[in-house]
Amino acid sequence: MNDDNELTDSAVLSAVRDSISGLPMPTAPRLEAITARGRARRRRRLAGVSIAVTGACAALVVGLAGGGGSGGPVRQLQHVASPVHVSQVHLAAFTVVAGPDGGTTLILSRPQVANPSAVRQALAERGIPALVTANEFCRTADQPAPGVGDVVTLGSPQAGVVIYGSRIPGGVELSIGYRQDPQDSEISFSLIQAGAPLTCTSIPDHGPHGND
Amino acid sequence: VSHEQTEFAEFFQASWEPCLRAVVASTGSVQLAEDQVAEAFARAWLSWRKVRRHPAPRAWVVRTALNAGALWWRRHVRELPLAGHDTPAPRDMDDGLDAAVLTALRHLPDRQREVIALRVFLDLDIDTIAGQLGIAPVTVRVHLSRAVATLRHELSSSRAMEVDR
C-alpha cells in the first residue's frame, strides 16, 4: 500500500543505484599492481605468523572516538593529568590518550608489538569492549549489527581511525587485530558477538570462508 | 602469457568498475572501497582457478571486499605513519555521493547491505545471492525486504525534511 509520499520498492532500489552509478569511479589500477599485491599476500601467508620486529620509526596510528593529539612512542608506563582532565597512559608499545569529550586516541608503535592485553584493558577502561590480538585476526560467525562502519570510520591522517565506543551495543565487542613486520603493517576491525566461538587467522579474513 | 592469466586480465578489466560501485554502496567511501576491491581482486588472482569456476565471480570479489563489514588497513611500512591515508567518508559525500542514500545504507546491518550490493549493482537474482552468501533464498528475500523497508523509511524521511526546508 503506497501513498504519494511512499517510495515503491523499485524506486528505493533505483535511488540507491542512481546515487552510485552517476558517480565517476577511479580507473582500475594496473593489473601488475593487483598481481603484486597477490604475491605479497601469498608471501605473508607462507610466512605464517612469524614476526621480525626491526627498524624503529614506523608507527600505526588508530584514533578512537574523535580523540585528540598524540605523542610518539615512549618507554615507560605513566599517567599524566592536566587541568582539562586529559589523561594519558603511556606504555612501551602503545599510547592511549583520552580527551575531555570522551575522545580517545590509541597509537601502536614499533619497534615493540603492543601487548594485546594491555591495549584491551586500556580500551575497556574507556568503555570500549574489545578483543585485541597481535599477529592474528579474529571474528565470529555472526557479524552483529550495526555494521562496523558505524562504529569505526577512517579519519584524516592526523585523526587516524575514529571508533565510537558508545555505538557498540551490549553483547558485542570490537575485534582489533594487528600485525606489524618489516614489510607490512595491517590492522583490522570487525564486530563480534561476545562469548561466541572465534575464528582466528594469521591474515585478515575478509573473504568468503574457504575461498582462499 | 597463459590462457588463465589472459582470462583473469579480461575479468579484472571488465569487472573492476561494477565491483567497485557495489562496494562503494556499502562502505560509503570511494577510497576505502578502492582499496578493499583491489585486495579482493588480488585474492581472486591468487585463487583464480577456483574463482573462475564460481557461478558469479564478480559476486565473489564483492563479497570478499565487503565481507562482514570488516575495515582494515594494509600499508607498506615505508608509507607509515599514515601519510596520505584513507580519506574520511564525509569528503566522499562532498565529492558527489548522495548523503541521504549513504546514510540510509550505513544504517543497515552488514548482511542486508551485502544483499543490496549484490542485487542492485551486480544484478544477481535471489537464488544466486543465496548461493553466494550461503543462506536460503527465503532468507535473502527477508533481508532484501527489510533492507528496502529501512531504506524507504530513511529516504522518505530525508525527502520530507527537504520539502520542509
Side-chain angles (χ1 to χ4, degrees), chain B residues 34-87:
Chain B
E34 189 177 10
D35 193 45
Q36 289 178 317
V37 172
E39 174 67 14
F41 272 108
R43 292 183 61 160
W45 177 77
L46 276 177
S47 305
W48 183 239
R49 288 186 178 178
K50 182 182 293 185
V51 175
R52 67 194 290 267
R53 295 194 302 270
H54 192 280
R58 287 182 179 180
W60 189 98
V61 170
V62 170
R63 173 109 169 90
T64 298
L66 286 181
N67 185 18
L71 292 175
W72 71 287
W73 283 340
R74 175 177 166 272
R75 286 292 182 273
H76 294 293
V77 168
R78 65 176 178 274
E79 294 175 342
L80 294 176
L82 299 180
H85 206 276
D86 305 82
T87 304

Side-chain angles (χ1 to χ4, degrees), chain A residues 127-131 144-148 150-152 163-176 190-192 194:
Chain A
I128 300 173
L131 170 71
V148 73
D150 280 354
V151 175
V152 181
I163 298 178
Y164 301 95
S166 61
R167 298 179 184 175
I168 300 176
V172 174
E173 294 181 352
L174 180 65
S175 175
I176 303 173
S190 60
L191 293 181
I192 59 174

Side-chain angles (χ1 to χ4, degrees), chain A residues 7 9 20 23 148 161 206 211, chain B residues 21 60 64 67 69 97 152:
Chain A
L7 296 167
D9 287 5
I20 307 296
L23 188 71
V148 73
V161 168
H206 297 146
N211 278 354
Chain B
R21 290 189 190 281
W60 189 98
T64 298
N67 185 18
L97 293 179
R152 176 187 297 112

Side-chain angles (χ1 to χ4, degrees), chain A residues 75-92:
Chain A
R75 298 185 180 282
Q76 294 182 349
L77 173 65
Q78 55 182 308
H79 295 264
V80 180
S82 80
V84 292
H85 306 293
V86 174
S87 64
Q88 290 185 320
V89 178
H90 287 176
L91 296 175

